[in-house]
């Protein structure tokens, strides 16, 4: 264990006293009456006391040195449990484990008491959390700005195979021990009202916003503890304390979010996270959340700037603001408004600052995910901002006219304002026009952003479009979640790799080493057992750890094609029962996924997988060769058990649609072999691990586009491929829903008569072939061992430390500051 960082100051006796003090004074329990949860809370509070001190000290030193920093604005930070991870970063894991043992407690059990803060939907929110971890680990000055939702992503259970959502009160009754409220940082945020013209003392005619109402923002800080150093950065989450305007509930009739609000006046703006994945719902309250988040964050950035003694003119020199997707785009007109209306800068001076402060990350090409807000909604809620957006667009259109004189088609295409029945504001266009850097999240995705999404912007603003391939933090996604592999790796290459993941390549030379192979496979087996025990305890399903654990864990979405996986399972079921010569190594198909509450087909797919699971898990004719497990309530802490146990990683999106993926990286790092399409970061994973150590199948991006253009005919595949036909037709029987045929036919219907929008049928045959290859290669354990070891060894590139260095060098231009 590390000896730098906070370790030196640790005093076991003092720490135990602090835990006991918090148990009594903060949680009103005696050591005799305390249950495991109270002890966890007290330990968390005692640790938070240490990290809060470091947070304040970091804040102080950075302000004194007045260094450039990045502000990461995101509506989502899917941080997962903090206690275990912060212990690792603080270098206190063993010490605290020993201390709590003296109190008669077991640290591993205590850590299980922590509820996951689920303040995000999936990859985009988890990426923000990994990035904060890597910023702190490398001491690049940063503040994360998000929202303090009362309810995080809904918790999921199954009733009769159907998804049921329940609110997620992640803070519990006692509050979350790691957070600290900062009343002195409170903000007041205006809404609605009108814009008035007035003449100032100098005789200038000015515009200003007169809001009709205000709400209060309260800051909560969570500590982002730097790995093996003394820096602790704030993740600052804004809570709205005032009730939302009561007529808002109207806009949310009958839906999941509406239900969380209950009585009209009960809800405040930050009550609940919107549970959508790659889908824009356009709800009024969501815009209000976005503006509330931006207004509080921009005001806080300016507060820090002025508190350090700086002038407004120097803002772009000292601050960069990264917009995580278009969700915080309204920060741009908000800063312009403050610069012009409050600091009295002229348009050009204000634009010179603003356009050098903001940078934007695009996370998706899916058209249904690109945010557009109706002009009338923005004009109503934020009238001054709408004026500013019009002015930005007006000036931009002049630029377009200069470049392409008289070309109205290009103007219509690029305009921030989309004309139509109801005029809409295109937030992505606003971002590209108003930022100094735009990036995609994997090489392929960034190319497609340039080629297909913003080709003319690339001509207009050469050099503005970048790539930064995503990454994951090796602290959580290897060192913390996989202690067995960590120990083995430490023994072979030393202990520096969690901060220098490229060093994993030092394992490659052991890939053929029989002894090492055996130990590596033994670790995998232990991890499979740990997960199998979890499944036995929580779901009552028995798993054989000799089977191939084949894992697809991610949000449920048609483009991610969980239904392609399902069709393959149905094909195996069919062959086991109908092909006397068919043989396969035992397989466990493991799914975990939440569906957006309003996404009917996604819920149908969950139901179908659950029904198929019920049948195959109990069908003696299959000889235990086929098991299907749909683990409920997918969340970060579950991923931490599933990923180390995976043999196969399913990354099977339609090519061109998964911007990057990050689960693919975590799984490869933990030694799962990828079966995947040439999509997102799969392309770069293949580059790193080599074509022999990954199973690539399916249409390429341009083949997908061509096939769509020419008109994809699902029935052509259906008639030509008898295995596909048999698999699809099973969905029309009552094989899995005894007595109720047709309960699963919506999926078949969508694929055949719905036109198969994600080309599932086009990739089916190649997918089946790739799985046959996996089956054959797994049976040869030496081959498999070599491949799985090489996956761990060769994915060092996908550390989020490298992603952050890419941002720092190419976009943010920060210098690391070591806190003393
Ligand atoms: C996503 C992309 O779909 C992923 O491919 C990408 O890895 C992540 C992070 O860049 O961003 N965009 C997006 O809206 N989501 C992503 O995961 N969805 C959720 O976060 C639920």
């Amino acid at each position: 264990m590390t000896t730098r960082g906070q370790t030196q100051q640790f005093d076991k006796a003092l720490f135990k006293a602090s835990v006991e003090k918090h148990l009594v004074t903060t949680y009103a329990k005696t050591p005799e009456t305390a249950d495991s949860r109270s002890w966890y809370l007290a330990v968390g509070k005692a640790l938070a006391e240490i990290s809060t001190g470091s947070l304040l000290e970091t804040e102080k030193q950075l302000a004194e040195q007045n260094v450039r920093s990045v502000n990461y604005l995101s509506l989502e930070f899917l941080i997962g449990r903090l206690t275990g991870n912060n212990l690792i970063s603080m270098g206190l894991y063993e010490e605290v484990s020993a201390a709590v043992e003296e109190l008669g407690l077991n640290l591993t059990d205590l850590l299980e008491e922590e509820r996951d803060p689920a303040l995000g939907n999936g990859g985009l929110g988890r990426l923000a959390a990994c990035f904060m971890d890597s910023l702190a680990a490398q001491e690049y000055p940063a503040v994360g700005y998000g929202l303090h939702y009362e309810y995080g992503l809904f918790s999921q259970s199954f009733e009769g195979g159907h998804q049921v959502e329940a609110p997620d009160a992640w803070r519990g009754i006692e509050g979350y021990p790691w957070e600290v409220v900062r009343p002195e940082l409170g903000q007041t945020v205006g809404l609605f009202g009108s814009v008035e013209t007035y003449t100032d003392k100098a005789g200038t005619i000015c515009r200003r916003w007169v809001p009709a109402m205000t709400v209060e923002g309260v800051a909560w800080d969570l500590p982002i503890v730097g790995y093996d150093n003394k820096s602790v950065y704030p993740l600052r989450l804004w809570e709205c304390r005032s009730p939302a305007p009561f007529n808002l509930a109207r806009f949310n009739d009958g839906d999941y979010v509406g239900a969380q609000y209950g009585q009209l006046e009960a809800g405040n703006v930050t009550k609940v996270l919107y549970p959508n994945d790659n889908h824009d719902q356009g709800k009024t309250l969501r815009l209000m959340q976005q503006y509330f988040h931006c207004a509080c964050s921009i005001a806080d950035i300016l507060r820090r700037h002025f508190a350090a003694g700086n002038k407004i003119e120097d803002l772009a020199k000292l601050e960069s603001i990264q917009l995580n997707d278009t969700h915080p785009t309204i920060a741009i007109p908000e800063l312009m408004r403050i610069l012009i209306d409050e600091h009295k800068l002229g348009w050009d001076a204000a634009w010179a600052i603003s356009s050098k402060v903001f940078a934007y990350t695009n996370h998706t090409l899916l058209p249904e995910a690109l945010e557009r807000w109706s002009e009338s909604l923005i004009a109503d809620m934020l009238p001054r901002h709408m004026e500013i957006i019009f002015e930005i667009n007006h000036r931009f259109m002049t630029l377009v006219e200069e470049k392409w004189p008289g070309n109205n088609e290009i103007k219509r295409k690029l305009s921030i304002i989309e004309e139509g029945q109801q005029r809409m504001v295109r937030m992505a266009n606003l971002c590209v026009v108003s930022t100094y850097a735009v990036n995609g999240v994997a090489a392929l995705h960034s190319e497609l952003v340039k080629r297909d999404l913003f080709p003319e912007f690339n001509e207009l603003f050469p050099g503005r479009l970048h790539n930064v391939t995503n990454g994951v933090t090796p602290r959580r996604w290897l060192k913390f979640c996989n202690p067995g592999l960590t120990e083995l790796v430490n023994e072979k290459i030393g202990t520096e790799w969690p901060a220098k993941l490229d060093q994993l390549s030092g394992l490659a030379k052991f890939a053929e080493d029989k002894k090492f192979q055996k130990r590596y496979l033994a670790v995998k087996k232990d991890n499979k057992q740990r997960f199998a025990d979890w499944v036995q305890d929580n779901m009552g399903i028995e798993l054989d750890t000799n089977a191939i654990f084949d894992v697809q864990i991610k949000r449920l979405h048609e483009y991610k094609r969980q239904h392609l996986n399902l069709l393959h399972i149905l094909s195996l079921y069919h062959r086991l029962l109908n092909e006397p010569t068919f043989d396969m190594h035992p397989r466990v198909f493991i799914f975990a996924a939440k569906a957006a509450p309003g996404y009917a087909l996604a819920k149908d797919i969950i139901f179908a997988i659950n029904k198929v699971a019920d049948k195959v898990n109990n069908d003696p004719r299959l000889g235990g060769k086929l098991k299907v497990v749909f683990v409920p309530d997918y969340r970060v802490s579950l991923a931490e058990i599933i990923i180390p146990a995976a043999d196969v990683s399913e990354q099977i999106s339609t090519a061109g649609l998964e911007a990057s993926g990050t689960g693919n990286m975590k799984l490869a790092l933990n030694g799962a072999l990828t079966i995947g399409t040439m999509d997102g970061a799969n392309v770069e994973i293949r580059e790193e691990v080599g074509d022999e150590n990954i199973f690539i199948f399916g249409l390429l991006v341009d083949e997908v586009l061509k096939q769509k253009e020419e008109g994809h005919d699902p029935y052509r595949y259906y008639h030509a491929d008898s295995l596909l036909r048999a698999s699809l037709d099973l969905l029309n029987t009552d094989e899995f829903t005894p007595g109720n045929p047709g309960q699963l036919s919506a999926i078949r219907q969508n694929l055949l008569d719905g036109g198969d929008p994600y080309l599932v049928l086009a990739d089916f045959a190649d997918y089946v072939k790739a799985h046959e290859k996996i089956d054959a290669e797994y049976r040869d354990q030496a081959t498999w061992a070599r491949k799985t070891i090489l996956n761990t060894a060769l994915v060092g590139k996908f550390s989020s430390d490298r992603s952050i260095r890419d941002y720092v060098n190419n976009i943010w231009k920060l210098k690391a500051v070591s806190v003393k």
Side-chain angles (χ1 to χ4, degrees):
M1 186 52 67
T2 158
T3 48
R4 282 206 298 140
Q6 277 109 348
T7 318
Q8 291 139 326
Q9 288 135 29
F10 189 73
D11 177 323
K12 193 159 66 176
L14 254 173
F15 179 75
K16 278 162 57 188
S18 172
V19 172
E20 288 183 314
K21 181 197 79 185
H22 280 296
L23 189 73
V24 176
T25 61
T26 311
Y27 299 108
K29 296 269 160 48
T30 66
E32 292 74 39
T33 61
D35 57 7
S36 192
R37 177 164 171 82
S38 304
W39 278 113
Y40 140 70
L41 288 167
V43 168
K45 260 279 181 279
L47 288 169
E49 216 166 72
I50 303 173
S51 64
T52 302
S54 305
L55 183 139
L56 295 175
E57 182 58 30
T58 306
E59 225 166 57
K60 179 168 155 257
Q61 289 189 27
L62 292 179
E64 279 165 8
Q65 296 187 40
N66 203 21
V67 290
R68 180 170 168 81
S69 57
V70 67
N71 302 275
Y72 201 85
L73 263 62
S74 179
L75 272 282
E76 305 186 13
F77 287 90
L78 188 46
I79 53 177
R81 291 170 173 167
L82 285 188
T83 311
N85 224 255
N86 283 352
L87 277 174
I88 283 189
S89 291
M90 293 160 110
L92 294 178
Y93 201 96
E94 265 97 61
E95 287 80 352
V96 166
S97 182
V100 300
E101 208 171 300
E102 289 177 20
L103 293 169
L105 306 161
N106 173 283
L107 182 60
T108 315
D109 295 342
L110 287 188
L111 296 184
E112 282 302 308
E113 293 290 339
E114 180 171 348
R115 225 185 291 257
D116 288 40
L119 308 182
N121 273 288
L124 174 152
R126 182 56 231 175
L127 186 76
C130 283
F131 280 2
M132 289 310 297
D133 185 86
S134 284
L135 283 159
Q138 299 174 102
E139 300 194 288
Y140 292 118
V143 179
Y145 285 105
L147 286 181
H148 190 273
Y149 300 106
E150 186 176 339
Y151 298 113
L153 185 63
F154 64 86
S155 71
Q156 177 200 54
S157 59
F158 298 133
E159 282 176 21
H162 294 286
Q163 167 173 297
V164 175
E165 301 100 25
D168 162 61
W170 62 282
R171 302 172 68 242
I173 294 166
E174 307 89 343
Y176 188 57
W178 285 99
E179 65 183 3
V180 51
V181 67
R182 307 284 304 268
E184 77 280 13
L185 305 184
Q187 297 291 349
T188 300
V189 176
L191 289 165
F192 301 104
S194 54
V195 182
E196 61 178 31
T197 304
Y198 70 102
T199 309
D200 70 6
K201 289 192 201 101
T204 317
I205 296 170
C206 307
R207 300 279 285 162
R208 74 178 159 212
W209 178 24
V210 187
M213 64 175 288
T214 57
V215 295
E216 301 302 319
V218 175
W220 292 87
D221 281 359
L222 288 172
I224 307 296
V225 179
Y227 177 74
D228 203 16
N229 63 48
K230 289 193 159 69
S231 287
V232 175
Y233 295 158
L235 172 54
R236 188 155 292 159
L237 304 180
W238 300 103
E239 179 193 8
C240 182
R241 280 284 170 96
S242 320
F246 64 84
N247 64 351
L248 273 176
R250 204 155 36 89
F251 291 92
N252 294 293
D253 262 353
D255 67 4
Y256 164 80
V257 168
Q260 307 310 306
Y261 279 76
Q263 294 303 308
L264 291 186
E265 44 283 294
N268 56 301
V269 172
T270 52
K271 190 96 182 163
V272 58
L273 167 75
Y274 275 89
N276 298 317
D277 161 48
N278 267 303
H279 188 85
D280 171 37
Q281 229 181 324
K283 297 285 186 186
T284 304
L285 182 69
R286 168 72 174 181
L287 179 64
M288 201 175 284
Q289 286 187 340
Q290 293 183 346
Y291 178 62
F292 172 78
H293 168 244
C294 292
C296 291
S297 306
I298 294 290
D300 193 60
I301 292 165
L302 291 172
R303 175 195 60 77
R304 279 172 27 226
H305 184 73
F306 293 125
N310 300 303
K311 298 194 302 264
I312 191 68
E313 286 74 17
D314 291 329
L315 189 68
K317 218 159 69 195
L318 286 159
E319 302 292 344
S320 194
I321 301 178
Q322 190 68 33
L323 305 175
N324 197 26
D325 214 295
T326 55
H327 313 154
T329 303
I330 201 75
I332 296 168
E334 171 69 357
L335 180 61
M336 285 296 285
R337 180 188 71 79
I338 293 170
L339 295 176
I340 295 169
D341 297 357
E342 294 178 10
H343 292 276
K344 304 292 178 196
L345 298 185
W347 182 275
D348 292 331
W351 186 252
I353 294 172
S354 173
S355 60
K356 287 194 190 64
V357 164
F358 290 105
Y360 153 61
T361 304
N362 172 281
H363 292 271
T364 184
L365 299 171
L366 292 189
E368 66 269 30
L370 297 180
E371 288 188 299
R372 301 168 326 140
W373 291 104
S374 86
E375 177 209 324
S376 61
L377 176 55
I378 298 183
D380 189 38
M381 190 184 299
L382 305 165
R384 180 61 177 139
H385 299 75
M386 196 58 236
E387 283 187 2
I388 291 169
I389 292 169
F390 275 130
E391 183 62 25
I392 294 173
N393 195 46
H394 173 70
R395 287 165 186 254
F396 171 58
M397 285 293 110
T398 311
L399 206 72
V400 176
E401 171 60 27
E402 277 165 25
K403 176 101 183 169
W404 293 284
N407 190 336
N408 287 328
E409 199 181 318
I410 282 206
K411 277 200 203 103
R412 232 191 330 275
K413 187 172 171 207
L414 301 192
S415 175
I416 295 167
I417 310 295
E418 180 181 291
E419 300 293 336
Q421 282 272 9
Q422 132 157 270
R423 290 204 291 191
M424 304 292 280
V425 180
R426 298 162 166 156
M427 303 312 260
N429 296 40
L430 179 53
C431 278
V432 179
V433 170
S434 316
T435 59
Y436 70 91
V438 174
N439 74 283
V441 290
L444 174 67
H445 168 65
S446 298
E447 275 313 306
L448 296 176
V449 166
K450 257 191 220 165
R451 192 189 80 179
D452 299 346
L453 190 62
F454 301 137
E456 298 85 358
F457 285 115
N458 191 34
E459 272 187 66
L460 259 178
F461 308 120
R464 189 170 294 184
L465 302 190
H466 300 252
N467 173 246
V468 180
T469 298
N470 283 167
V472 302
T473 171
R475 274 75 66 183
R476 183 178 293 268
W477 297 112
L478 186 50
K479 184 169 171 153
F480 174 67
C481 75
N482 199 340
L485 187 52
T486 292
E487 211 181 290
L488 188 56
V489 173
N490 284 348
E491 202 185 299
K492 288 293 175 192
I493 64 167
T495 57
E496 281 176 11
W497 58 266
K500 294 180 173 138
L501 203 63
D502 286 326
Q503 290 187 0
L504 286 182
S505 63
L507 292 174
K509 63 171 178 284
F510 303 107
E512 307 267 6
D513 177 331
K514 291 289 162 225
K515 242 173 84 191
F516 186 75
Q517 288 186 347
K518 235 177 110 189
R519 293 182 64 196
Y520 189 101
L521 293 181
V523 167
K524 181 60 82 180
K525 194 81 173 264
D526 284 349
N527 290 333
K528 287 166 83 170
Q529 191 60 55
R530 174 172 69 152
F531 175 62
D533 291 344
W534 189 98
V535 169
Q536 178 66 262
D537 293 348
N538 291 275
M539 304 176 70
I541 300 172
E542 195 182 329
L543 301 181
D544 173 6
T545 56
N546 291 310
I548 302 173
F549 281 20
D550 183 318
V551 167
Q552 188 172 21
I553 46 175
K554 50 185 78 245
R555 286 298 289 260
L556 206 310
H557 204 296
E558 285 165 87
Y559 86 80
K560 296 177 186 284
R561 300 199 295 190
Q562 279 94 350
H563 48 344
L564 175 57
N565 191 340
L566 174 64
L567 278 181
H568 172 242
I569 294 170
L570 293 176
S571 78
L572 295 175
Y573 176 82
H574 173 81
R575 295 174 82 173
L576 283 169
L577 296 183
N578 296 288
E579 281 181 32
T581 59
F582 181 73
D583 188 28
M584 63 179 276
H585 190 86
R587 257 263 202 154
V588 182
F589 290 93
I590 295 150
F591 293 86
K594 289 177 182 175
Y599 191 171
L601 189 63
K603 291 179 144 182
D604 286 342
I605 293 170
I606 290 180
F607 177 67
I609 296 171
N610 274 327
K611 283 298 165 191
V612 170
D614 282 350
K615 176 82 171 96
V616 304
N617 293 345
N618 301 299
D619 190 334
R621 297 174 301 169
L622 301 175
K625 297 231 156 165
L626 195 54
K627 293 260 160 141
V628 178
V629 178
F630 203 126
V631 186
D633 204 27
Y634 184 50
R635 57 196 185 277
V636 171
S637 61
L638 241 164
E640 289 163 1
I641 314 176
I642 299 176
I643 288 169
D647 294 311
V648 173
S649 161
E650 299 269 355
Q651 309 299 336
I652 60 177
S653 51
T654 316
L657 299 186
E658 188 71 274
S660 164
T662 46
N664 47 1
M665 302 169 184
K666 295 164 197 170
L667 283 154
L669 181 62
N670 284 274
L673 302 200
T674 304
I675 178 168
T677 47
M678 286 293 272
D679 200 15
N682 297 352
V683 175
E684 288 160 85
I685 292 177
R686 172 170 174 266
E687 245 166 55
E688 297 298 306
V689 305
D691 199 39
E692 333 71 71
N693 300 313
I694 189 168
F695 302 91
I696 296 290
F697 73 95
L699 296 176
L700 307 176
V701 172
D702 285 337
E703 293 169 343
V704 166
L705 295 176
K706 183 155 166 271
Q707 181 137 351
K708 293 216 120 189
E709 229 165 74
E710 290 172 353
H712 168 57
D713 176 11
Y715 274 105
R716 187 160 69 81
Y717 294 91
Y718 178 77
H719 291 303
D721 182 340
S722 60
L723 185 61
L724 171 61
R725 197 162 57 242
S727 311
L728 269 171
D729 285 349
L730 275 169
L731 293 170
N732 257 4
T733 65
D734 75 342
E735 189 92 359
F736 307 105
T737 53
N740 293 300
Q743 277 197 324
L744 309 183
S745 46
I747 300 165
R748 183 179 179 278
Q749 179 81 14
N750 171 273
L751 294 175
L752 288 174
D753 302 318
D756 183 18
Y758 297 94
L759 304 191
V760 171
L761 304 198
D763 278 345
F764 174 80
D766 205 20
Y767 181 57
V768 167
K769 251 204 263 159
H771 269 301
E772 285 169 352
K773 199 159 167 224
I774 287 176
D775 183 271
E777 295 198 357
Y778 190 84
R779 290 165 191 242
D780 177 0
Q781 282 285 287
T783 301
W784 192 268
R786 184 182 75 242
K787 293 182 181 220
T788 171
I789 292 167
L790 285 175
N791 265 264
T792 300
L794 299 178
V795 294
K797 168 179 172 182
F798 303 104
S799 168
S800 46
D801 294 349
R802 188 271 315 146
S803 308
I804 287 300
R805 287 195 301 274
D806 287 352
Y807 278 102
V808 163
N809 295 330
N810 302 328
I811 298 178
W812 300 334
K813 313 282 182 193
L814 305 177
K815 282 203 204 58
V817 177
S818 168
V819 165
K820 302 278 176 288

